[in-house]
Amino acid sequence: MTTMTMTGDAAMASPQDSPLDAPLRPPAPGAAFPHDTQAPQAVPQPGLAASSSTNADAEWLRKAFKAILPPILGIALLIGIWYVGSAGADARIPGPGKTWEAAVALFSDPFYREGPNDQGIGWNVLASLERVAIGFGIAAAVGIPLGFLLGRFATLSAMVNPIISLLRPVSPLAWLPIGLLVFQRADPAATWTIFICSIWPMILNTAQGVTRVPQDYLNVARVLNLSEWKIFTKILFPSVLPYMLTGIRLSIGTAWLVIVAAEMLTGGVGIGFWVWDEWNNLKVEHIIIAIFVIGIVGLILEQCLVLLAKRFTYETP
Amino acid sequence: MKKIVQIENVGQTFDTKNGKFVALRDVNLDIREGEFVTLIGHSGCGKSTLLNLIAGLTKPSSGSMLCDGREIAGPGPERAVVFQNHSLLPWLTCYDNVYLGVERVFGGKEGKAKLKERTHAAMALVGLSHAEIKYPHEISGGMKQRVGIARALAMEPKILLMDEPFGALDALTRANLQDELMKIMAATGATTVMVTHDVDEAVLLSDRVVMLTNGPAATIGEILEVKLEHPRNRLALANDPHFVECRAAILEFLYQKQLKKAA
């Protein structure tokens, strides 16, 4: 409680702070959290309150340390291995230093355009994201309703399941020629490939979610004699939502995996094409940068959906 | 007195992997208006099966079941159920959980304001006006069960069906809710059938205790009338001779006549 009050005071006092302790304050975002602030230490306070808040700070620091240290060690290890692997005189892979320099140069101007085959990395990533968004969006629009139908009607499910089992394990790239044949252009073919490979998890997870709706809730619906529409909006949809979001997360992951491969084959603008282009230019450090960029974008997409899923996960009895 | 539910020669068999399983046979029971009936018996004797039949959640294999003179063809809001595990929808607030039923039953003939008033009244009846905006996971088990009762009563059912509503609660909370329930029953006069395995609870709340024999093929063994005046007070009743007598009769039925062999 004391900590909270002090934080509040410290935060409110900040405009009139003396120039002496102002630089000691951590940057603004931390101030939002009661245990986050360093202010009580920076401004000496007499008595118990100060020491208890120092304890809380120490506790918080220890926890943060514990949470952050292992990942940092892991990344340091990776970079170390990379460094050693690229250290030899005849090493073919550029080392971390060289890659870093190239990355700084590359990201100093991510959005330049010099002809259709020479654009900044920002444009390439955005182009890939756009393809993923369109292909994935259509897949969601088709897959989720289909999943609901399959979950609700056993006959339909028995009819469609063998088809899904047959088509799902097919490598996405095997669909690319079909797309090229039907659409006659590279871009829709890549979108088509994203569509076909990201639709399965959404169908299957949604369908599973529908069959897993707790019988208790369905009994409630029967006793209350709810209309089909109410059953859908008040019971079916909310209970299926977590399953659906899992399907969406898996789908986005697959879509992002596939887009790189698809773009390598279809060309144009996009991170996958860019990787291939840099390979032809023998700029290996750019390929390594691309690997990091692809990884980070994938991570961000995944984390956004994890957050979304958390918001819609309900504690069930 | 008017009969709300009539059960005649009802039997229930289930198809299982090992062939037919006879859960209930030859059940005959009338439930009168305003009466509080408990079904008691050892676990697995088919108490809940019988309750589900009255609710219409399952259909009997034989015999006939009438509610207010009409065949029970399926579940409906005139036979409201309070489920054992409360079954509140976790994505709706307590208020919205209750409103869902109110809207369904009265939405066709009453305005929004009246529906809201009904919902507020039901929450007030179970003493939870302050928890209307809370979600089920934010309140205690006893409160959840009270919301379940509010949801059922708000629909103004002809009969209230309760499936071990207090079974999952600790003894103190349970006693509290029993007292609460007695007050609610005194206020509403709702006809109630409740499944329980708690002898004291059965005697305290009921006008009649229906004792079921052990399954398989369970049926009604004895029916005990509890002739105690309402409102009842659990402390005063503890030494009441009729209360003690009733309690002893049920215990004798359960532990001598229907002794369950240790499973």
Side-chain angles (χ1 to χ4, degrees):
Chain A
M1 204 59 227
T2 24
T3 332
M4 295 254 294
T5 333
M6 283 173 48
T7 313
D9 287 346
M12 281 205 287
S14 59
Q16 297 94 23
D17 266 341
S18 73
L20 195 113
D21 57 33
L24 290 173
R25 200 183 303 285
F33 302 97
H35 300 294
D36 221 330
T37 175
Q38 303 286 316
Q41 285 172 324
V43 187
Q45 298 264 351
L48 252 175
S51 78
S52 84
S53 95
T54 315
N55 281 346
D57 273 358
E59 174 73 6
W60 179 83
L61 268 176
R62 213 170 52 81
K63 266 189 194 161
F65 210 60
K66 249 185 163 174
I68 293 169
L69 197 64
I72 287 180
L73 279 177
I75 290 170
L77 188 69
L78 176 71
I79 293 174
I81 292 171
W82 179 14
Y83 185 79
V84 171
S86 61
D90 59 343
R92 298 195 176 125
I93 298 170
K98 201 178 164 197
T99 309
W100 176 254
E101 281 164 29
V104 169
L106 201 62
F107 282 103
S108 61
D109 185 14
F111 292 103
Y112 72 86
R113 264 196 179 134
E114 286 174 19
N117 283 343
D118 188 10
Q119 303 193 9
I121 187 160
W123 290 122
N124 281 296
V125 170
L126 285 182
S128 295
L129 280 175
E130 190 191 335
R131 278 193 199 102
V132 166
I134 296 172
F136 168 80
I138 300 172
V142 176
I144 291 172
L146 194 59
F148 268 101
L149 290 178
L150 292 192
R152 201 97 168 100
F153 303 107
T155 321
L156 190 65
S157 163
M159 229 172 82
V160 178
N161 268 337
I163 306 177
I164 295 180
S165 308
L166 180 77
L167 297 185
R168 198 166 58 107
V170 174
S171 164
L173 294 183
W175 294 102
L176 192 61
I178 306 282
L180 286 169
L181 186 74
V182 173
F183 298 106
Q184 301 287 322
R185 282 192 305 123
D187 220 31
T191 309
W192 149 258
T193 310
I194 298 297
F195 166 81
I196 199 79
C197 73
S198 62
I199 197 170
W200 310 120
M202 285 192 280
I203 296 180
L204 292 174
N205 275 280
T206 308
Q208 197 198 21
V210 174
T211 56
R212 291 262 183 98
V213 173
Q215 187 59 42
D216 288 340
Y217 299 160
L218 295 176
N219 277 346
V220 169
R222 291 175 66 198
V223 168
L224 299 192
N225 201 0
L226 297 178
S227 60
E228 274 292 323
W229 175 244
K230 280 270 175 197
I231 291 180
F232 179 77
T233 55
K234 298 286 181 185
I235 292 174
L236 223 46
F237 188 76
S239 33
V240 174
L241 198 56
Y243 291 89
M244 224 167 79
L245 286 170
T246 304
I248 289 174
R249 206 179 78 214
L250 295 173
S251 288
I252 285 245
T254 319
W256 190 242
L257 271 181
V258 169
I259 191 67
V260 175
E263 283 172 349
M264 279 188 180
L265 294 173
T266 58
V269 186
I271 190 74
F273 166 73
W274 193 75
V275 169
W276 200 245
D277 202 35
E278 297 304 288
W279 166 242
N280 288 333
N281 298 338
L282 276 177
K283 282 191 192 156
V284 184
E285 61 270 22
H286 281 187
I287 295 176
I288 293 174
I289 294 167
I291 288 171
F292 275 106
V293 169
I294 294 166
I296 290 167
V297 172
L299 192 73
I300 292 172
L301 287 177
E302 165 113 1
Q303 284 306 309
C304 288
L305 279 161
V306 167
L307 280 180
L308 200 66
K310 246 185 208 160
R311 166 68 186 77
F312 289 108
T313 303
Y314 301 94
E315 189 191 320
T316 40
Chain B
M1 216 185 280
K2 191 178 159 198
K3 290 170 183 167
I4 295 284
V5 171
Q6 291 163 277
I7 304 171
E8 279 168 23
N9 292 318
V10 160
Q12 175 77 306
T13 52
F14 295 111
D15 288 320
T16 66
K17 268 185 285 182
N18 309 321
K20 284 202 184 307
F21 173 80
V22 182
L24 289 173
R25 63 175 173 86
D26 308 325
V27 176
N28 287 288
L29 182 67
D30 289 339
I31 291 153
R32 298 184 286 260
E33 189 168 26
E35 174 177 53
F36 197 117
V37 175
T38 47
L39 306 176
I40 198 166
H42 287 288
S43 62
C45 75
K47 314 179 287 269
S48 293
T49 308
L50 183 54
L51 196 83
N52 284 345
L53 284 172
I54 302 174
L57 289 167
T58 47
K59 282 192 179 153
S61 314
S62 59
S64 83
M65 310 203 46
L66 302 178
C67 174
D68 212 12
R70 283 169 46 191
E71 174 93 36
I72 296 175
E78 88 271 10
R79 278 163 284 120
V81 183
V82 176
F83 296 92
Q84 179 171 14
N85 57 1
H86 66 77
S87 295
L88 299 176
L89 301 175
W91 40 83
L92 296 181
T93 60
C94 295
Y95 176 89
D96 287 333
N97 265 290
V98 177
Y99 188 80
L100 196 62
V102 172
E103 190 187 29
R104 181 62 191 164
V105 177
F106 303 103
K109 42 190 186 282
E110 291 176 5
K112 273 251 164 68
K114 186 79 175 73
L115 298 181
K116 283 179 183 168
E117 192 188 311
R118 281 182 183 276
T119 311
H120 288 306
M123 291 300 285
L125 183 69
V126 296
L128 285 179
S129 293
H130 61 281
E132 283 183 351
I133 53 161
K134 291 225 163 89
Y135 285 89
H137 66 89
E138 296 172 324
I139 60 176
S140 69
M143 286 163 84
K144 281 181 212 166
Q145 210 47 272
R146 274 148 74 183
V147 178
I149 294 171
R151 175 172 66 186
L153 285 175
M155 299 189 288
E156 297 194 347
K158 291 199 177 103
I159 183 165
L160 183 66
L161 306 171
M162 301 208 264
D163 189 359
E164 293 189 35
F166 310 141
L169 305 174
D170 66 272
L172 289 177
T173 311
R174 192 187 306 180
N176 249 329
L177 277 182
Q178 287 162 359
D179 292 342
E180 198 92 26
L181 186 64
M182 282 193 284
K183 273 184 218 156
I184 293 170
M185 289 307 142
T188 60
T191 313
T192 308
V193 177
M194 175 164 142
V195 167
T196 184
H197 49 224
D198 181 330
V199 176
D200 287 310
E201 182 171 276
V203 181
L204 180 68
L205 298 172
S206 317
D207 299 309
R208 281 193 299 159
V209 180
V210 174
M211 292 175 257
L212 295 175
T213 63
N214 282 343
T219 188
I220 295 173
E222 287 176 26
I223 297 179
L224 178 82
E225 299 245 0
V226 181
K227 291 173 188 139
L228 293 166
E229 286 297 309
H230 291 279
R232 297 174 183 169
N233 177 311
R234 70 172 64 243
L235 290 177
L237 284 179
N239 296 314
D240 183 289
H242 186 62
F243 183 88
V244 175
E245 206 178 287
C246 289
R247 205 171 166 275
I250 298 173
L251 286 173
E252 192 194 336
F253 177 86
L254 290 177
Y255 297 106
Q256 282 185 1
K257 297 178 191 165
Q258 295 295 327
L259 182 65
K260 181 122 175 162
K261 295 188 179 60

